[in-house]
Amino acid sequence: MTGGVTSRAPGQAPGRAPDGASGRVRRLTRAEARGARAAAGFLVPFLALFLLCFIAPIGFALYESLLKIERTGPLGLGGETRDVWAGLSNYTHALQDGHFTAGFGRVLLFGAVQIPVMIAFATGLALLLEAASARWVGFFRTAFFLPYGVPGVIASILWGFLYVPGISPLVEMAHSAGWDVDFLGRSTVLWSIANIVTWQFTGYNMLVLIAQLKAVPGELYEAARIDGASAWQIALHIKLPLIRPALVLTTVFSLIGTLQLFAEPKVLKPLTNSIDSGYTPNLAAYNEAFTSNNQHIAAAEAVLLALVACVLSFGFLRLVGQRGNGGEDR
């Protein structure tokens, strides 16, 4: 009978594997253990830095946003008690601050106009530089990318000189042509800031898109040309659909950067009365912390800013994912 009986080598005890098999199992186990230790050795430094530089600051900001400073005596001059539990009162104060909420509306309007314009410019430059007939590709790629190497503060100072009447050659040229231009006016300063951001980051987004274009197999282009497709049809029906992941990535990065807008309005603020201390949410939190000396409200505003950035980013990714799945189903 063979049912339920396991064959074994002569002299082998029941339930034991052959010596060769057990040695192989032992060697595999040791190799896996070494691999696990090596993986942990690579992960531990990253996790330590991640916890120290990302998780810990977020946790501390949340903690600070739930505290407040209590002052006693007439006009609050009798002394202060620090780190008193405040609950959600700091968040209520931030949401009731008209300057802070207006800053959110301002940056959302900014992003609704500036991000599509910048991504369109970056996409057009990437397609032009990767065209088969393009010349001097290296020179133009470097020239378009160079503004990204200029820090945001320096770029704002440079453009500030081009915006100030009496100094700017652009303003003088516009006045000579009969145009009354005020780049720092209340209705135009937001778009002057948008110009700085677009000038600085278009080249960076262009390189991301070019990297995605280089990952596209050249055989697809050759097959399209053999089928009679023009350069415009190849760009529209092959290149653009295949660089969709890079377009989504650059759009998300731009959306997060828009909500964090700070350096440009901060630098241009002394040049115009059109920019106040709460012009953007980031600028409002900065002024609460370092001008009004109220770090608890500043922490609450920073947490709210992070939440809005998360909601918009993941909402955009979800929207794009649903459209992509719908397109595939069709």
Side-chain angles (χ1 to χ4, degrees):
M1 292 177 64
T2 60
V5 177
T6 304
S7 62
R8 59 180 182 271
Q12 177 188 340
R16 290 187 57 187
D19 292 340
S22 62
R24 285 194 295 273
V25 171
R26 194 159 46 245
R27 284 195 296 272
L28 287 174
T29 303
R30 290 173 181 172
E32 291 174 355
R34 285 197 299 270
R37 287 195 296 270
F42 284 108
L43 285 174
V44 166
F46 165 76
L47 291 175
L49 289 174
F50 182 76
L51 291 173
L52 181 64
C53 301
F54 188 78
I55 300 299
I58 291 177
F60 184 71
L62 285 170
Y63 172 73
E64 285 287 306
S65 69
L66 299 174
L67 303 176
K68 66 180 179 179
I69 298 174
E70 282 189 352
R71 293 177 174 85
T72 60
L75 300 178
L77 300 177
E80 64 180 29
T81 303
R82 304 187 66 86
D83 298 340
V84 178
W85 181 257
L88 299 178
S89 61
N90 290 326
Y91 293 94
T92 303
H93 181 279
L95 293 174
Q96 290 176 348
D97 185 353
H99 292 288
F100 181 66
T101 54
F104 269 112
R106 197 172 288 114
V107 295
L108 291 176
L109 174 62
F110 177 96
V113 177
Q114 188 269 335
I115 292 176
V117 170
M118 179 175 63
I119 298 300
F121 279 152
T123 304
L125 291 175
L127 293 175
L128 286 173
L129 291 178
E130 288 303 303
S133 59
R135 297 183 179 181
W136 298 67
V137 173
F139 169 76
F140 286 110
R141 189 184 300 167
T142 303
F144 293 141
F145 181 74
L146 275 178
Y148 179 71
V150 180
V153 173
I154 303 301
S156 301
I157 293 174
L158 293 175
W159 280 97
F161 284 113
L162 296 176
Y163 290 155
V164 176
I167 300 177
S168 169
L170 299 179
V171 176
E172 293 297 327
M173 292 170 57
H175 287 173
S176 300
W179 297 339
D180 186 13
V181 176
D182 183 8
F183 292 112
L184 299 177
R186 189 167 297 276
S187 60
T188 56
V189 67
L190 184 65
W191 311 120
S192 297
I193 295 173
N195 174 68
I196 299 174
V197 175
T198 303
W199 174 81
Q200 188 176 9
F201 289 98
T202 296
Y204 169 80
N205 293 319
M206 175 201 70
L207 281 189
V208 175
L209 297 175
I210 286 177
Q212 182 74 48
L213 281 171
K214 287 188 175 299
V216 178
E219 292 82 1
L220 292 177
Y221 303 150
E222 294 178 5
R225 293 189 190 98
I226 292 174
D227 290 339
S230 63
W232 173 256
Q233 290 172 327
I234 292 174
L236 187 62
H237 299 291
I238 297 179
K239 292 184 177 181
L240 282 179
L242 290 177
I243 65 172
R244 183 174 179 271
L247 289 171
V248 172
L249 178 69
T250 52
T251 303
V252 170
F253 284 171
S254 301
L255 180 61
I256 296 172
T258 295
L259 291 171
Q260 296 176 348
L261 191 64
F262 175 77
E264 292 79 9
K266 178 64 176 176
V267 172
L268 295 180
K269 185 176 180 294
L271 305 179
T272 176
N273 295 325
S274 302
I275 299 177
D276 56 24
S277 59
Y279 195 74
T280 67
N282 222 352
L283 191 59
Y286 172 86
N287 280 282
E288 284 287 352
F290 299 105
T291 303
S292 302
N293 198 26
N294 196 336
Q295 70 271 20
H296 300 300
I297 292 179
E301 292 179 347
V303 171
L304 288 172
L305 178 59
L307 287 175
V308 172
C310 285
V311 169
L312 291 180
S313 300
F314 284 104
F316 174 77
L317 290 174
R318 184 176 178 83
L319 177 64
V320 171
Q322 288 177 347
R323 288 187 175 180
N325 293 334
E328 291 175 1
D329 293 341
R330 288 192 296 272

